[in-house]
Amino acid sequence: MIYLDNAATSYPKPTQVRTEALKVFFSLGANPGRGGHKMAMDAAMMVYSAREALAALFSLPEPEGVVFTQNCTAALNLAIKGVLKPGDHVVISSLEHNSVYRPVESLHRAGLITYDIATVDPASPQNTLAAFAACMRPNTRLVILCHGSNVFGTLQPAKEICALAHEQGALFLLDAAQTGGVIPIDLTVLPADLVALALHKGLYAPPALGALLVNTTAVITPLLEGGSGNQSMLPTMPEDLPEHLEAGTLPTTAIAGLLGGVQFVRQRGIGAIHQQEMRLLRQLRDGLLMIPKIIVYGDPVLPVLSFNIEGRTGEESAALLSEMGFALRGGFHCAPLAHKTFGTQHSGTVRVSVGVFNTPREVSALLDAVKRLGPGRL
Amino acid sequence: MKDFIISVTSITYAIKAQNALRAVGIRANVARDERYLQGTGCGYSVVVPGNVDRVRVMDILQQQHIKLANVMGGERRP
């Protein structure tokens, strides 16, 4: 099996990830922040080191602003439902994943908020910015942006949209599921208030681990409440981050693995990894464009590409290619808005997402398989 | 020499305080501390030798935005 589904989760994981994660089984198995004994303290130190490593990678001023979550979806739900109040207005993009679209729609259906969808123009950041500006209202509390499309590999003008949100007194939430660890994100340059991360993707942590980077003093109401390991006699969650938003036992194995992932990314360099992946993606795109009856969507700047074979749905093509030994993702990728934006809401697409461990030979093998498959009869 | 004990509201702040103090050469250790947070329950403290300049320690913790629950001098190491 040739794995080309790194936008779902990166695989394989670097050796450093496995080395760090295994430490939990041998010496860091206790529950961090839940006791004073040495192993619990050592585990807590490891978790804090992971917070420091993430904060440094994203130039987040305070490590306690790193809130670990089950995954990026949980981070986005926490940000959205923790920030919004009845009567608020929200702006989202037309490329959002369901992890943004569904919670926003759910709050809207409950009669709590209103929202608008700003149409992204992949060919024009100016048009995209203008679309966001047109959606802003006096009661806009939150602007949410899918930084990088999980279907089409586009990158949205986050810095400009963040500035627009701040100019109008709104908070800016960046969904960096596909960009965290994949391209540099510096919060001193792109001062997003909240950043949701899928740490098991671009930062190679074991699944499932996400984080919400909190770069604001705005109050966020916890979605989960329970044990925090401190101030236990209080009937409410402690006020300070990250414990305010982290009820229950943390996934120490995944967090330890994250330390190895950050180490790997720092050693290789985010830029170098991205260049390597984009070389593979260009090889793939150029090759697909040479094959008759193939439709390639857009010109990705992230290592994610969608295509279709004429006469076949994305789901069908991915299933057939799976039988030929390729791990791809067909269908709608939990992103109906994105598919409507690109006009693929009826067919879906086949998504290829290359990773740092893929090779030119593997890409060539996929291209040969697509050629052999040929068009369908739809 | 008697230590002084800086109670903080979370393990995260305790480790942050410990690391910040150690980074400038001040011996500091995280300890479980339930005495000064009896009203609210479990907490953590950072134990610093009593011969360290207390004002300097407080300045460092303030620069790091570490919230303190209590500071007690003259306490022996737990």
Side-chain angles (χ1 to χ4, degrees):
Chain A
M1 173 69 78
I2 294 175
Y3 187 83
L4 291 161
D5 197 14
N6 290 276
T9 196
S10 53
Y11 180 85
K13 305 297 183 188
T15 305
Q16 293 94 322
V17 172
R18 280 172 275 164
T19 302
E20 293 299 322
L22 281 173
K23 288 180 182 172
V24 172
F25 293 96
F26 294 109
S27 59
L28 294 171
N31 200 329
R34 297 299 193 275
H37 58 83
K38 185 177 184 310
M39 193 186 282
M41 288 292 193
D42 288 347
M45 299 286 181
M46 180 278 290
V47 170
Y48 186 79
S49 296
R51 295 191 206 280
E52 280 190 316
L54 265 193
L57 196 63
F58 290 91
S59 301
L60 180 71
E62 308 291 353
E64 58 267 33
V66 175
V67 175
F68 287 116
T69 58
Q70 180 188 353
N71 45 45
C72 193
T73 296
L76 288 162
N77 270 262
L78 174 58
I80 292 166
K81 294 174 180 171
V83 161
L84 293 175
K85 299 285 181 290
D88 284 342
H89 175 256
V90 179
V91 181
I92 68 174
S93 83
S94 67
L95 293 181
E96 299 304 325
H97 189 274
N98 274 340
S99 53
V100 167
Y101 182 38
R102 285 179 171 170
V104 169
E105 174 68 18
S106 169
L107 292 173
H108 172 62
R109 289 189 183 203
L112 298 173
I113 65 155
T114 53
Y115 76 100
D116 285 293
I117 300 172
T119 301
V120 172
D121 181 346
S124 169
Q126 292 80 8
N127 288 350
T128 300
L129 182 62
F132 270 86
C135 290
M136 298 297 288
R137 296 187 196 170
N139 64 331
T140 301
R141 171 70 172 149
L142 186 61
V143 174
I144 310 172
L145 181 68
C146 167
H147 195 194
S149 169
N150 68 309
V151 187
F152 300 102
T154 59
L155 193 63
Q156 282 55 258
K159 190 177 160 188
E160 292 78 6
I161 294 170
C162 179
L164 172 74
H166 287 170
E167 280 164 18
Q168 307 212 14
L171 294 170
F172 180 69
L173 165 58
L174 187 71
D175 174 2
Q178 297 297 333
T179 53
V182 175
I183 58 169
I185 298 175
D186 182 338
L187 290 174
T188 61
V189 177
L190 166 54
D193 301 287
L194 299 155
V195 180
L197 296 168
L199 300 173
H200 60 99
K201 295 182 181 178
L203 287 166
Y204 305 97
L209 184 66
L212 182 65
L213 306 185
V214 180
N215 190 30
T216 174
T217 55
V219 174
I220 304 170
T221 305
L223 288 190
L224 281 178
E225 292 164 294
S228 59
N230 64 322
Q231 302 186 47
S232 303
M233 295 302 287
L234 293 180
T236 55
M237 292 296 286
E239 289 181 359
D240 299 320
L241 292 175
E243 287 82 2
H244 180 59
L245 300 173
E246 284 181 351
T249 299
L250 290 171
T252 44
T253 311
I255 293 171
L258 169 69
L259 272 171
V262 173
Q263 187 187 336
F264 172 79
V265 166
R266 284 211 178 274
Q267 282 169 349
R268 292 264 185 125
I270 288 179
I273 293 172
H274 185 59
Q275 283 176 18
Q276 181 185 333
E277 292 174 340
M278 290 311 293
R279 273 196 295 275
L280 293 173
L281 200 86
R282 278 192 290 276
Q283 178 195 346
L284 174 68
R285 186 171 185 272
D286 292 348
L288 287 171
L289 289 171
M290 299 290 287
I291 304 172
K293 311 285 187 188
I294 297 293
I295 307 155
V296 177
Y297 298 95
D299 191 3
V301 292
L302 296 171
V304 178
L305 179 144
S306 265
F307 72 95
N308 269 320
I309 302 170
E310 275 187 24
R312 299 186 191 280
T313 63
E315 195 78 64
E316 180 192 354
S317 299
L320 291 167
L321 288 164
S322 174
E323 289 172 13
M324 298 165 83
F326 297 91
L328 308 171
R329 173 98 182 263
F332 298 97
H333 315 93
C334 301
L337 296 176
H339 280 283
K340 285 176 188 167
T341 301
F342 275 77
T344 52
Q345 68 270 34
H346 301 299
S347 60
T349 60
V350 187
R351 182 185 72 185
V352 185
S353 45
V354 300
V356 68
F357 297 112
N358 286 125
T359 64
R361 181 174 289 188
E362 289 175 334
V363 172
S364 296
L366 174 62
L367 290 167
D368 288 343
V370 172
K371 276 181 206 162
R372 289 202 304 276
L373 200 56
R377 294 179 182 171
L378 275 181
Chain B
M1 180 64 68
K2 292 178 179 177
D3 299 329
F4 69 92
I5 299 171
I6 304 159
S7 300
V8 292
T9 52
S10 69
I11 183 70
T12 305
Y13 278 143
I15 297 170
K16 188 178 186 184
Q18 174 191 271
N19 292 356
L21 294 171
R22 286 183 178 179
V24 295
I26 296 173
R27 191 154 55 87
N29 289 298
V30 174
R32 186 78 167 168
D33 176 7
E34 299 192 18
R35 285 177 298 172
Y36 304 109
L37 291 167
Q38 282 176 354
T40 56
C42 319
Y44 292 85
S45 62
V46 183
V47 182
V48 180
N51 62 349
V52 173
D53 180 352
R54 185 166 162 159
V55 173
R56 184 178 173 224
V57 169
M58 293 299 115
D59 284 347
I60 291 165
L61 300 186
Q62 194 173 17
Q63 285 164 16
Q64 294 292 321
H65 306 117
I66 293 166
K67 284 193 185 174
L68 308 182
N70 202 341
V71 181
M72 295 291 288
E75 295 290 334
R76 292 202 174 277
R77 193 185 298 272

